[in-house]
Amino acid sequence: MFISLHLYPFMASQESERAIARHEVREIEQRHTMDGPRQDVALDEEEDMVIIYNRVPKTASTSFTNIAYDLCAKNKYHVLHINTTKNNPVMSLQDQVRFVKNITSWKEMKPGFYHGHVSYLDFAKFGVKKKPIYINVIRDPIERLVSYYYFLRFGDDYRPGLRRRKQGDKKTFDECVAEGGSDCAPEKLWLQIPFFCGHSSECWNVGSRWAMDQAKYNLINEYFLVGVTEELEDFIMLLEAALPRFFRGATELYRTGKKSHLRKTTEKKLPTKQTIAKLQQSDIWKMENEFYEFALEQFQFIRAHAVREKDGDLYILAQNFFYEKIYPKSN
């Protein structure tokens, strides 16, 4: 599997994209070399920070990523797109090693914000002392599948001229479900769980209870914050409050910026109640929905302890702890 780290969105064919990405990396490394070597310089805590957003497809990930791109120059950090061959979310073992080495030792790219359709990777098993900060956003599983179904056929308003894989297929999602089509089968719901579960084979075993339990464990123990598409603004607000080094100004940008809701799937038709009910009979939906509800409950718990509502608006709480009775007393 080839992994390229793009500093900007796609612009041409895959080969030209790779050439452009390599050229951009060389330019940045040369510029840092001219400014003086950093290899032996210890970075302070904030400058050594790396965030990984292993984005799940069709969860408003482009809208959120655009905010990171818009803020990177002002807040002085790098944004890199992890582009895997055919968007394969599972890396080979050798690519895992390369990726971990890039993330941890590429000082010229720190502080860095990496994003891409890659499943969770446990950096600890590679002997890394300081792990990156993982964040993510998930979505109601049926809404995510419906959005992806129409995206493959009609694209979106982000790159409207790009020919999509299923272009020309006019069948609605309702018709697909009624006919038992493969693109709308319950198995296609199985995505958010394996993205959080990771690179173990069992993670990608559709309907695995172990995979769901592991995904829940990782969400709680390995992710700094996981938001939901339906409450994206609150997710951004919490990130700005907790990680201002990266997200200072993000909330205002989301509310007022032109790119906030940039990517909208074209020709999307909401499914009927009958279609939804049919999908909800599946054990796969029940597991994906259980994971979604678990993530939603956790996010709302974090939000409840971080904000207060006043006149319909949310406000971040000020610091609510302090230190006292400090001993021994200084002379």
Side-chain angles (χ1 to χ4, degrees), residues 108-233:
E108 288 80 8
M109 291 296 109
K110 291 182 179 180
F113 180 97
Y114 292 75
H115 67 96
H117 298 313
V118 181
S119 60
Y120 170 76
L121 184 61
D122 182 9
F123 277 59
K125 74 177 186 179
F126 296 90
V128 172
K129 293 180 180 179
K130 182 177 180 179
K131 298 194 292 185
I133 295 173
Y134 268 94
I135 62 172
N136 216 326
V137 176
I138 69 171
R139 186 176 185 178
D140 174 276
I142 291 180
E143 290 183 5
R144 194 205 65 79
L145 180 59
V146 170
S147 182
Y148 189 62
Y149 178 88
Y150 285 109
F151 172 73
L152 291 180
R153 285 153 178 78
F154 301 102
D156 53 30
D157 54 3
Y158 185 55
R159 288 183 288 170
L162 185 64
R163 183 175 180 82
R164 299 296 174 179
R165 183 156 31 111
K166 298 284 184 173
Q167 187 168 325
D169 180 4
K170 305 294 185 182
K171 188 183 300 180
T172 67
F173 187 81
D174 288 328
E175 292 169 342
C176 178
V177 171
E179 296 173 8
S182 59
D183 284 350
C184 55
E187 289 76 14
K188 296 294 184 180
L189 292 165
W190 189 259
L191 190 68
Q192 298 185 134
I193 285 175
F195 255 74
F196 278 79
C197 178
H199 277 71
S200 299
S201 62
E202 187 65 16
C203 295
W204 299 89
N205 184 3
V206 177
S208 167
R209 173 65 58 173
W210 181 91
M212 186 180 70
D213 291 341
Q214 185 64 40
K216 287 181 176 180
Y217 175 89
N218 288 343
L219 186 148
I220 295 297
N221 295 283
E222 304 296 344
Y223 280 80
F224 179 77
L225 184 66
V226 176
V228 294
T229 303
E230 297 78 6
E231 300 176 13
L232 189 61
E233 182 177 325

Side-chain angles (χ1 to χ4, degrees), residues 239-264:
L239 283 176
E240 180 173 359
L243 299 173
R245 176 66 183 80
F246 283 82
F247 298 105
R248 185 177 292 107
T251 307
E252 184 66 19
L253 183 61
Y254 178 80
R255 290 171 176 168
T256 63
K258 295 180 180 179
K259 294 183 180 180
S260 295
H261 305 282
L262 178 61
R263 194 166 195 165
K264 293 182 179 179

Side-chain angles (χ1 to χ4, degrees), residues 1-6 10-22 81-88 159 162:
M1 181 191 299
F2 179 86
I3 303 174
S4 62
L5 300 176
H6 286 210
F10 291 107
M11 291 183 289
S13 66
Q14 191 174 58
E15 286 303 318
S16 62
E17 289 171 1
R18 294 174 180 177
I20 291 169
R22 294 189 187 102
H81 177 217
I82 311 159
N83 177 19
T84 60
T85 303
K86 296 182 179 179
N87 281 333
N88 188 347
R159 288 183 288 170
L162 185 64

Side-chain angles (χ1 to χ4, degrees), residues 28-170:
I28 291 174
E29 288 182 335
Q30 288 171 3
R31 186 161 66 245
H32 280 287
T33 301
M34 292 174 64
D35 293 339
R38 295 180 64 182
Q39 286 79 2
D40 298 323
V41 177
L43 302 177
D44 66 36
E45 195 71 20
E46 283 198 336
E47 299 307 301
D48 196 34
M49 190 179 297
V50 171
I51 293 175
I52 296 181
Y53 172 34
N54 64 316
R55 42 196 283 198
V56 179
K58 306 312 297 176
T59 56
S61 61
T62 299
S63 298
F64 175 61
T65 302
N66 278 329
I67 291 175
Y69 276 109
D70 288 346
L71 290 174
C72 65
K74 179 181 178 182
N75 290 348
K76 294 181 171 56
Y77 61 87
H78 296 93
V79 181
L80 301 93
H81 177 217
I82 311 159
N83 177 19
T84 60
T85 303
K86 296 182 179 179
N87 281 333
N88 188 347
V90 178
M91 294 182 179
S92 67
L93 184 62
Q94 59 270 32
D95 272 344
Q96 292 178 43
V97 173
R98 295 182 187 113
F99 182 60
V100 170
K101 184 178 180 181
N102 286 154
I103 293 287
T104 55
S105 62
W106 202 0
K107 291 186 178 181
E108 288 80 8
M109 291 296 109
K110 291 182 179 180
F113 180 97
Y114 292 75
H115 67 96
H117 298 313
V118 181
S119 60
Y120 170 76
L121 184 61
D122 182 9
F123 277 59
K125 74 177 186 179
F126 296 90
V128 172
K129 293 180 180 179
K130 182 177 180 179
K131 298 194 292 185
I133 295 173
Y134 268 94
I135 62 172
N136 216 326
V137 176
I138 69 171
R139 186 176 185 178
D140 174 276
I142 291 180
E143 290 183 5
R144 194 205 65 79
L145 180 59
V146 170
S147 182
Y148 189 62
Y149 178 88
Y150 285 109
F151 172 73
L152 291 180
R153 285 153 178 78
F154 301 102
D156 53 30
D157 54 3
Y158 185 55
R159 288 183 288 170
L162 185 64
R163 183 175 180 82
R164 299 296 174 179
R165 183 156 31 111
K166 298 284 184 173
Q167 187 168 325
D169 180 4
K170 305 294 185 182

